[in-house]
Amino acid sequence: MFLRHFYLIVSGLISACCYSQENEIPRPSSFVLSGGFEYGNILRTNEPLKGYKNTNYTGYSVQILKQTAGNKHWEKQYNYPQYGIGFFAFDFLDNKEMGSPFGIYGVYNAKLGQWGKLKWYHHVDFGIAFNSNPFDEDHGYYNTSLGSGTNMFISLGTGMYYELGRHFDIGLNLKFNHLSNGSLKFPNKGLNTFAPQISLVYYPERAVPRTNDSISFNTKKYNTLEVSAFGGRKNIFYRGGQREELKKLYEGFNYSVYGVEAFYMHQYSSKSAYGLGVGITHDEQYNHTMYVADSTLYQQKRFSHDKLLFSVIPSYRLIIGKLNVNVGAGYYLFKKERKYDSPAFFQKIGLQYQITDRLFASFGINAYDLHIADYLEWRIGYTFSRRERR
């Protein structure tokens, strides 16, 4: 059923493009329509997946993009990238019990180089996926890759494109896709796929890069002081003895995480900034402990009074217009670690959008061991100081 709806969306978009061409709209169009097909493999990253005889899958995607032409400073800086919205659908072929994920995502395509009609792009996609079958023993689904039907979708890829004519490009990409829920629901080992993809790109009219030197661009650099509040939620299961027996009966406990952070960022180029942050975090999981008694799982307070976690976070920022990509590696000072605790050293990556010059919002992931998601992080913040560098 979901594939039928997906095909209807694609057909509608193609029809709209054809209709526009037939009516010969005189003004140039900066919009691009792209469709892709991929055939690859699910990576066997956990025990249940290793028992699957066939891990092939197919994927379908359609994207509506804007081709930048250098009208804004960041567009020229990043070599006239494409950005927009995409729709996808996966078919796991012989493994229908895993569900049929489909969803929507944001797209960022950047050109790395061009040689005549041959172009090299890389892309980053980030969105949300629906209709996966989560771990559920009652319904005979034992794969521990996903614990929820709704998950984050992340895709990274690179590929070569060739201009077939005035309106079309054909491309061949290599893609890595990742589905997970960011520890909102146990289990969450993540589902990863790798595949080649063939794509066809339609340009109603190719945008011509703007190279007028009379255009004035903002080349100012700033030092900023930012303060933000964040919150998140995670689902944690017991990690001690008898864990394998208990996880068949229990879904774990839900814990909230919230706090405040302050960052001082130094912009050293038009694209990049670095800085240092400090934070105070209240993590309910850290303040509780789980134990087993009479084959039953319980939780109890770990400390007589809740303890806060204090952190220092060196960070790097990639600046793309009003969108910032923040990457940090932090450490919880004075954290008392138990045997099964997450480590004091943690990592963060997030997308931050400047709503105004002062107000911003962000969404990201807090992780540990460089690959295990601890929780999804939502935040809103305010820039208290924004001083131009002289």
Side-chain angles (χ1 to χ4, degrees):
M1 180 65 72
F2 81 99
L3 283 178
R4 184 189 306 170
H5 295 309
F6 184 77
Y7 294 145
L8 287 174
I9 292 171
V10 176
S11 301
L13 291 169
I14 293 174
S15 298
C17 289
C18 292
Y19 179 81
S20 298
Q21 193 174 19
E22 288 174 1
N23 284 273
E24 296 182 353
I25 297 175
R27 67 177 183 273
S29 172
S30 60
F31 286 92
V32 180
L33 179 66
S34 175
F37 169 78
E38 59 193 81
Y39 180 80
N41 281 277
I42 303 167
L43 301 181
R44 303 172 192 260
T45 53
N46 57 59
E47 287 301 322
L49 287 176
K50 292 177 182 179
Y52 283 37
K53 294 181 180 180
N54 184 356
T55 55
N56 292 335
Y57 82 99
T58 58
Y60 312 87
S61 63
V62 62
Q63 300 174 351
I64 307 170
L65 308 171
K66 181 178 181 180
Q67 173 63 64
T68 60
N71 296 322
K72 297 179 180 178
H73 186 206
W74 72 269
E75 297 175 355
K76 192 172 182 179
Q77 280 185 309
Y78 287 90
N79 200 18
Y80 315 104
Q82 300 170 344
Y83 65 91
I85 190 170
F87 307 88
F88 75 90
F90 288 162
D91 186 345
F92 290 133
L93 301 177
D94 293 343
N95 303 305
K96 301 294 186 183
E97 73 277 6
M98 297 180 68
S100 302
F102 63 90
I104 185 172
Y105 58 94
V107 185
Y108 179 82
N109 295 336
K111 184 166 63 176
L112 298 176
Q114 182 167 355
W115 304 270
K117 294 185 177 182
L118 184 65
K119 298 174 285 188
W120 179 21
Y121 277 88
H122 73 83
H123 75 258
V124 179
D125 305 331
F126 186 87
I128 188 167
F130 307 94
N131 206 43
S132 298
N133 281 349
F135 177 85
D136 187 346
E137 289 195 324
D138 293 338
H139 293 85
Y141 180 54
Y142 303 100
N143 193 311
T144 57
S145 299
L146 301 174
S148 58
T150 302
N151 296 277
M152 291 186 305
F153 170 73
I154 301 172
S155 178
L156 306 174
T158 186
M160 306 299 293
Y161 290 78
Y162 185 79
E163 295 182 8
L164 296 177
R166 181 180 175 184
H167 296 293
F168 290 96
D169 286 359
I170 189 169
L172 181 63
N173 300 287
L174 291 176
K175 289 187 62 184
F176 170 79
N177 304 311
H178 175 74
L179 294 172
S180 71
N181 62 46
S183 289
L184 287 174
K185 185 68 174 176
F186 174 86
N188 184 51
K189 294 182 179 296
L191 185 65
N192 304 297
T193 70
F194 182 78
Q197 180 201 58
I198 187 168
S199 60
L200 185 66
V201 186
Y202 172 69
Y203 294 84
E205 186 167 343
R206 293 186 187 272
V208 178
R210 189 169 183 174
T211 57
N212 190 343
D213 293 333
S214 65
I215 301 174
S216 60
F217 292 125
N218 181 13
T219 57
K220 296 178 181 178
K221 302 179 183 66
Y222 297 91
N223 293 331
T224 59
L225 175 62
E226 304 169 355
V227 177
S228 61
F230 67 89
R233 193 134 175 101
K234 54 185 175 179
N235 182 256
I236 302 296
F237 189 74
Y238 177 67
R239 296 172 179 172
Q242 297 180 277
R243 184 174 189 271
E244 292 302 315
E245 294 80 2
L246 287 170
K247 75 179 184 181
K248 297 178 182 179
L249 303 175
Y250 296 93
E251 297 182 348
F253 296 106
N254 293 314
Y255 295 110
S256 296
V257 186
Y258 51 88
V260 293
E261 290 177 348
F263 280 87
Y264 184 80
M265 302 299 295
H266 171 79
Q267 185 181 351
Y268 65 91
S269 75
S270 56
K271 293 183 179 181
S272 299
Y274 65 85
L276 182 67
V278 293
I280 301 174
T281 303
H282 181 271
D283 186 338
E284 287 186 348
Q285 180 202 356
Y286 178 64
N287 284 285
H288 286 79
T289 188
M290 301 180 198
Y291 67 96
V292 178
D294 299 325
S295 298
T296 303
L297 182 64
Y298 299 95
Q299 66 170 336
Q300 67 180 17
K301 294 284 291 184
R302 181 184 176 195
F303 307 109
S304 58
H305 301 285
D306 284 356
K307 294 186 179 296
L308 300 176
L309 294 171
F310 298 89
S311 58
V312 290
I313 316 161
S315 294
Y316 167 79
R317 172 173 294 169
L318 179 67
I319 304 169
I320 310 173
K322 291 185 176 181
L323 181 68
N324 297 326
V325 181
N326 297 322
V327 181
Y331 187 82
Y332 291 121
L333 303 172
F334 320 118
K335 182 178 182 180
K336 298 179 180 180
E337 292 187 42
R338 295 164 293 186
K339 181 178 180 181
Y340 297 104
D341 269 350
S342 57
F345 178 63
F346 62 94
Q347 303 82 48
K348 300 161 70 76
I349 183 169
L351 299 177
Q352 176 177 313
Y353 185 76
Q354 290 294 140
I355 302 171
T356 68
D357 284 345
R358 297 288 182 174
L359 185 66
F360 62 87
S362 175
F363 169 73
I365 300 173
N366 187 298
Y368 58 92
D369 292 343
L370 299 175
H371 72 288
I372 301 175
D374 194 17
Y375 58 91
L376 299 182
E377 191 177 87
W378 305 83
R379 71 174 60 230
I380 189 165
Y382 188 82
T383 303
F384 280 90
S385 175
R386 188 171 184 262
R387 295 183 179 180
E388 181 183 351
R389 290 182 52 207
R390 298 294 182 181

